[in-house]
Amino acid sequence: MSSEALKINRQRLHQRLQALGQCGALAGGGVSRLALTDADKQGRDLVVGWIRELGLAVEIDQLGNVLGRRAGLETGPAVMTGSHIDTVSTGGLYDGNLGVLAGLEVIQTLNEAGVKTRKPLAVAFFTNEEGARFAPDMMGSCVFTGVLDLETALQTQGIDGARVGDELERIGYRGEAPVNRAREQAAAFIELHVEQGPVLEQDGIRIGAVEGVQGISWTEFSIKGTSNHAGTTPMAYRQDAALAAAEITVFVRQLAQRLGGRQLATVGHCEYRPNLVNVIPNHVELTVDLRNTDEQQLQQAEAELFEFVRAVAEREGVSISHRSLARFEPVNFDPALVARIEQIALDQGNSVKRLPSGAGHDAQMFAPVCPTAMIFVPSAGGISHNVREHTDLDDLEAGANVLLQALLELAEPA
Ligand code: HGY
Ligand code: MN
Ligand code: MN
């Protein structure tokens, strides 16, 4: 059978997505599978079982990244695909999971067709891509590619006080394989992912040929004021941490509107202490997520934010410290690979469009290491990080078939 004629099994892909979605399933729909929780372990065990059933050699590294490797006629670096299976606490069935399970579906399709390749193929899932429990996001692929050192990752404390290393031990995924070997392991990397935004659906396009990933800046601010009685403290005598937090939140929205272009700004986490109706808060923790496809504009946004925070602290008589949770510059994917994905999509009868990724992805860590690109399929309503996340099976199938052809070309059918 010619490689062009090979097609994935859509029902099998759909069934695996549904089965994985049972790991951490939320009543009423959606998934909560935060990194290194019991639900993540359940999902990991399920996917590792599928990897073994496909006859792949399984490797678990010291940060719990899992790699399933299919031998080629030659040894050496593999043509890799994959993504993540951890989710945010209000996640859906597709963010990350599609990239991993479509990779397995490609392998199973090749196995069933008896297709051998010159280069090895590999499917991976990386630890803690979301960064929702332990910052930064893309932690596993950062350690896999040497962007972040292992010890720092293992020592990282999550929003619940747990440490990455302890949780990896607890769920049995603190592997032996050394990390930071991407250059010897990856000949190329392609990740299939849902767009998580509205562009493809609004334009009636089925496949996205992703040109790169925008820059990401996550900062946690710790605002310290004076807790006092809500009924006895005159307004002029307050060092109100909650007010400072509110001013920063409003500023962040105005900053994005004023800078325009592709500037995005979000306050996603805000925690008051003591968080009581009749006590002026003395401590607020707040996170700011800034993103832009342009590094200079992102730095401009950061500079204006920190200047505003300094002025608010002075005016409100509070002290504000901050720490960076994540900082990634914009990344461009391999132009030749992007063009190839675009052409394969067209050859397979799909509409296709080039676009940048708004979300961070494991693939962005591979861009400096080997030829790397991503394939997007539409998100219904542009919704993601939301239990209502959905992508039609026709679109999932189309994306997986583009992935199949792109991986097969890179691995060279024998
Ligand atoms: O935040 C992100 O962009 C990704 O979902 N980790
Ligand atoms: Mn993702
Ligand atoms: Mn995500």
Side-chain angles (χ1 to χ4, degrees):
M1 178 189 285
S2 80
S3 62
E4 281 73 18
L6 281 177
K7 292 287 180 257
I8 63 109
N9 179 323
R10 62 187 259 142
Q11 282 312 324
R12 191 164 53 198
L13 174 59
H14 176 67
Q15 283 154 11
R16 285 198 171 119
L17 283 163
Q18 297 298 324
L20 181 52
Q22 290 309 303
C23 303
L26 292 168
V31 181
S32 175
R33 205 162 54 236
L34 287 172
L36 309 183
T37 56
D38 291 342
D40 187 24
K41 172 182 173 46
Q42 197 189 355
R44 285 167 168 265
D45 292 348
L46 182 65
V47 176
V48 168
W50 286 332
I51 294 175
R52 293 194 196 285
E53 281 170 16
L54 291 177
L56 304 185
V58 176
E59 184 183 279
I60 301 175
D61 75 16
Q62 294 161 302
L63 198 71
N65 295 313
V66 175
L67 189 80
R69 197 178 152 93
R70 182 182 195 254
L73 299 185
E74 300 161 4
T75 55
V79 172
M80 284 185 67
T81 188
S83 190
H84 60 97
I85 63 169
D86 65 300
T87 75
V88 295
S89 53
T90 55
L93 293 182
Y94 308 99
D95 177 357
N97 308 312
L98 173 63
V100 178
L101 300 185
L104 293 185
E105 179 51 38
V106 165
I107 296 289
Q108 186 154 0
T109 302
L110 296 178
N111 287 354
E112 289 173 349
V115 171
K116 296 200 181 316
T117 56
R118 307 206 68 72
K119 293 191 179 80
L121 281 158
V123 184
F125 64 81
F126 300 100
T127 296
N128 184 36
E129 186 279 344
E130 290 296 357
R133 185 184 180 199
F134 304 101
D137 54 347
M138 285 80 74
M139 181 186 273
S141 47
C142 281
V143 170
F144 190 91
T145 58
V147 168
L148 179 66
D149 74 274
L150 175 65
E151 203 44 42
T152 302
L154 292 171
Q155 291 307 321
T156 298
Q157 201 165 22
I159 56 175
D160 53 8
R163 285 196 190 284
V164 167
D166 299 338
E167 287 294 87
L168 273 173
E169 292 281 358
R170 189 182 66 80
I171 66 168
Y173 275 90
R174 188 161 175 173
E176 305 287 323
V179 296
N180 188 10
R181 293 180 300 129
R183 290 186 191 284
E184 66 192 60
Q185 288 171 295
F189 189 91
I190 301 185
E191 180 173 0
L192 171 62
H193 205 288
V194 288
E195 179 204 335
Q196 302 182 285
V199 173
L200 293 179
E201 183 182 62
Q202 276 174 359
D203 294 359
I205 301 284
R206 172 159 277 173
I207 298 290
V210 186
E211 294 184 297
V213 180
Q214 66 182 342
I216 301 175
S217 163
W218 287 0
T219 306
E220 177 191 79
F221 291 97
S222 182
I223 307 168
K224 297 275 175 63
T226 307
S227 68
N228 212 327
H229 194 300
T232 59
T233 313
M235 296 312 285
Y237 288 78
R238 297 181 177 212
Q239 289 83 41
D240 186 342
L243 182 75
E247 289 188 58
I248 293 169
T249 303
V250 171
F251 173 81
V252 156
R253 168 60 68 91
Q254 291 168 344
L255 175 68
Q257 285 167 331
R258 181 162 40 80
L259 293 179
R262 287 187 177 269
Q263 185 59 52
L264 299 169
T266 311
V267 171
H269 167 85
C270 185
E271 196 175 308
Y272 288 43
R273 294 182 197 137
N275 204 26
L276 299 170
V277 62
N278 58 354
V279 181
I280 301 166
N282 67 332
H283 184 188
V284 177
E285 278 203 2
L286 171 132
T287 60
V288 176
D289 176 327
L290 298 174
R291 309 218 189 180
N292 201 308
T293 50
D294 180 295
E295 175 62 16
Q296 295 317 310
Q297 288 174 21
L298 186 54
Q299 289 180 19
Q300 169 76 21
E302 288 173 319
E304 293 199 29
L305 171 63
F306 290 133
E307 176 47 35
F308 180 80
V309 168
R310 192 199 54 73
V312 164
E314 198 172 307
R315 187 171 60 244
E316 299 304 333
V318 297
S319 71
I320 305 180
S321 60
H322 68 267
R323 69 185 177 108
S324 172
L325 297 179
R327 183 61 168 92
F328 300 113
E329 293 197 3
V331 158
N332 294 314
F333 289 139
D334 181 90
L337 203 41
V338 174
R340 196 62 210 125
I341 284 166
E342 191 176 37
Q343 192 55 55
I344 291 169
L346 288 169
D347 293 348
Q348 294 184 356
N350 301 295
S351 51
V352 62
K353 169 188 182 93
R354 289 171 176 240
L355 74 169
S357 172
H361 296 288
D362 293 309
Q364 72 188 84
M365 301 308 157
F366 284 83
V369 172
C370 60
T372 300
M374 291 187 72
I375 304 161
F376 273 175
V377 288
S379 291
I383 293 282
S384 183
H385 285 191
N386 179 313
V387 296
R388 290 190 294 116
E389 182 184 84
H390 178 75
T391 295
D392 288 349
L393 184 51
D394 290 345
D395 296 337
L396 299 172
E397 179 185 25
N401 279 323
V402 173
L403 180 69
L404 167 60
Q405 185 57 28
L407 293 174
L408 194 50
E409 285 183 8
L410 287 165
E412 300 166 34

